[in-house]
Amino acid sequence: MVRKMELTHVNEKGVKMVEVGQKEVVFRKAIAKGRIKLKPETIRLIQEGKTKKGNVIASAQIAGILAVKRTWEIIPLCHPIPLTGVDIAFEFGKDYIEATCEVRAYYKTGVEMEALTGVSVALLTIWDMVKAVEKDEKGQYPFTRIEDIRVVEKIKE
Amino acid sequence: MVRKMELTHVNEKGVKMVEVGQKEVVFRKAIAKGRIKLKPETIRLIQEGKTKKGNVIASAQIAGILAVKRTWEIIPLCHPIPLTGVDIAFEFGKDYIEATCEVRAYYKTGVEMEALTGVSVALLTIWDMVKAVEKDEKGQYPFTRIEDIRVVEKIKE
Amino acid sequence: MVRKMELTHVNEKGVKMVEVGQKEVVFRKAIAKGRIKLKPETIRLIQEGKTKKGNVIASAQIAGILAVKRTWEIIPLCHPIPLTGVDIAFEFGKDYIEATCEVRAYYKTGVEMEALTGVSVALLTIWDMVKAVEKDEKGQYPFTRIEDIRVVEKIKE
Amino acid sequence: MVRKMELTHVNEKGVKMVEVGQKEVVFRKAIAKGRIKLKPETIRLIQEGKTKKGNVIASAQIAGILAVKRTWEIIPLCHPIPLTGVDIAFEFGKDYIEATCEVRAYYKTGVEMEALTGVSVALLTIWDMVKAVEKDEKGQYPFTRIEDIRVVEKIKE
Amino acid sequence: MVRKMELTHVNEKGVKMVEVGQKEVVFRKAIAKGRIKLKPETIRLIQEGKTKKGNVIASAQIAGILAVKRTWEIIPLCHPIPLTGVDIAFEFGKDYIEATCEVRAYYKTGVEMEALTGVSVALLTIWDMVKAVEKDEKGQYPFTRIEDIRVVEKIKE
Amino acid sequence: MVRKMELTHVNEKGVKMVEVGQKEVVFRKAIAKGRIKLKPETIRLIQEGKTKKGNVIASAQIAGILAVKRTWEIIPLCHPIPLTGVDIAFEFGKDYIEATCEVRAYYKTGVEMEALTGVSVALLTIWDMVKAVEKDEKGQYPFTRIEDIRVVEKIKE
């Protein structure tokens, strides 16, 4: 298959929201992942005490889900999509948390930007909630970083 | 200086928006950076033709600036902050674009979450605009990823 | 019919936006009601002079309709729903106003949260518009309260 | 003290956002409360298992905090206010949950609408998360209702 | 006085939100006006019956006030500004309605974009509310148009 | 054909979001146009240097596209519509820029309000970006104005 190599959002007149009216309504799913590197001490503080962990994680999940739904407001050329379901889950490493966001819809265009936005905002929310322990004595963040945001699976049936 | 190691956003009752009323109004600046890995071919397509590059980059800048201003809506426990200025700039590598976001305010709390949100959304917007060329023949993104989102400088004067 | 007693939004991993993709697209209607208790003097001030009443009521209606449309942004785990119509009406008692909100859609999930959100925001808007007359000399609200927000009918055809 | 009995938001030309420019910047606090009536079985399901309770409650808190910050978008004539802190807490009764929302700011106008909006949205979010167990076999909500939303304290120092 | 002729929002790197941190906090006021041309029959329908007029006008006022507050979300490079007051009023001509929007703030940058946005959205809202009578038999709008949106006064004290 | 002359959004109870559930899902397109009058010098500054023009225009396009998608949030009684495509283009005159916005959807109601909102916000964004050169020495805008916002074509197939 020869695919035409061009940027679909950019025509001679500038930027545009590309037409998807002729595309078929099919089941769409996308899974994105990403990580936030944290100090082991921060990971321990999040994990210690069920309530505390529950809340940091719940905050990140809720922020991520809300962001998934608002992707078309945040990313200028995305289409509004009637999403049917969103899951955000987390796995803990010694010095990182990995977020996975799965988004599903029956629609004319894919949902990978939604999944990527959900992962990004979930990780940013974790950062915000652990600022006090990640900062060094000069108020800087020598360890913290968000890494490896990627689409691990995109399905169209 | 001994800093108390606890998560300021989480108390026994759950999550809260921490009180900043007693903190002083001072000049705040934060600079965050991050990268999106792209195929060299995609980088070339963005750079070739001034108009095209201008538009991809302008879209990412505008999306990033809008996101900086809405950080308190996107990250649940962030305070609304009266920002005085925002700059987002890009540097091109062979197979990546690096975004830098600088945010400034005179206020009671820092602006690093704003800078991080600006970088994240700018990079997500680039991804959205080059989807067509980054996807492989199965509709997957084997190369594309967002990396190394970090705070490079935080100032409080 | 045995219904499984569990909280659909909460799984082991935390919160999620439940999948509705397999549910059928049918006509959905929900009617919610609620009341704001006000001083008789405030009711009289609202009713006296058509213009004045029209405007307080119109403000509450418009705020309620806008909130119905944004329910999925306000309530974290609600799905965006393509609403087909919204009505908000008010009845006056001696010391209260009762709001009724009816929401309609053809979709995969019900609209009761939308109707409840519309009633709540309409009543909050009335409160905001009569603050000056409801407050006592110490700036407190001994009489004002919002009561009895409920779903009076939910239809799925 | 004789207070003039008129509706500050309504003048001859219709509605307006009243001028607060001449009011002084002082410490403002408002505490609002409200209840959601639930089946004892639902209360038990929320409380059983720390994770589950944490998540329902965390969702309601986060939704409430986000709504507090967006009060000026939701209630048409409210002013945007630079909030300094927000707390939302819950108490459990046999067949109800009571939410308390405290909002603080140093500004020219009070924050009671913010506190009332926070309580309302927190309670609506609880409703949304327990829909499956509160509904009867006909899909109706004979027990559930939101009650007694009120301002319990308003301070201006 | 020689003023430097350059576009403050555009630098070599693209667009930016210009720094206003060094500007002084002073009283700012801006008044914008604009007109919507309507069929005389439509004007008559709006004016006939106090309730009807009140509602069309109240809807336009409320939409305009909400838009003024969200100007920084709608116009990408505008700063969020702590507005102290907004008024929107209307005058009726034989075949037009003229809207006037006055916005006030004590801040570092002017509020003319807010006033212009308020006028524009108020007029668009009127159009939306009279679509049924303005359309001709082919569903077109041969008469309707929005004209003469301008800043009539801008004050900085 | 006799069309009933009444305002569909206004009933005896006030304002409402009219029911569109019974209307058929068909292809809808609307094209709106509008102009901003600018000083020839400003036009020249925008056009001179590809990068600069690209950015002013790209900013206006992106702001317009985002506004088209948020029309139902900005205009109170508009329905949320699943848009399939949006284009915004500009033509330059000696002392004006004319914006054209085309919006497409397959839905139950027309998209002219979306096209009009897109044009209005695109023009407001141009104004914001050229404020520095359009203002006279007293900070007023004697030349700048937005004119002739109209629907040039509305299609329903």
Side-chain angles (χ1 to χ4, degrees), chain C residues 83-117:
Chain C
L83 307 172
T84 54
V86 181
D87 290 284
I88 298 183
F90 300 94
E91 279 173 85
F92 283 72
K94 200 180 119 275
D95 61 356
Y96 67 86
I97 299 175
E98 184 162 80
T100 302
C101 178
E102 180 179 316
V103 179
R104 295 173 299 277
Y106 291 76
Y107 203 55
K108 301 177 181 196
T109 182
V111 291
E112 66 265 44
M113 291 316 303
E114 281 70 15
L116 288 163
T117 301

Side-chain angles (χ1 to χ4, degrees), chain E residues 30-32 68 71 101-103 111-120:
Chain E
I31 301 175
V68 164
T71 299
C101 179
E102 180 179 316
V103 179
V111 291
E112 66 265 45
M113 290 315 303
E114 282 71 14
L116 289 163
T117 302
V119 160
S120 298

Side-chain angles (χ1 to χ4, degrees), chain E residues 3 5 9 41 55 59 70 73 112-113 124 128 132 135 140-141 145-146 148-150 154, chain F residues 3 5 9 41 70 73 112-113 124 128-129 132 135 140-141 145-146 148-150 154:
Chain E
R3 293 186 318 116
M5 281 301 153
H9 286 137
E41 171 193 339
N55 290 329
S59 299
R70 298 174 78 183
E73 284 190 353
E112 66 265 45
M113 290 315 303
L124 288 166
D128 179 51
K135 270 188 279 192
Q140 307 300 314
Y141 296 91
R145 70 194 51 210
I146 291 174
D148 237 357
I149 296 178
R150 63 205 185 276
K154 198 189 152 200
Chain F
R3 293 185 318 117
M5 281 301 154
H9 286 135
E41 169 192 340
R70 299 173 78 185
E73 284 191 354
E112 66 264 45
M113 291 316 303
L124 288 166
D128 180 51
M129 294 187 81
K135 269 189 280 189
Q140 307 301 313
Y141 296 91
R145 68 193 54 212
I146 291 174
D148 238 355
I149 297 177
R150 60 205 186 277
K154 198 189 152 199

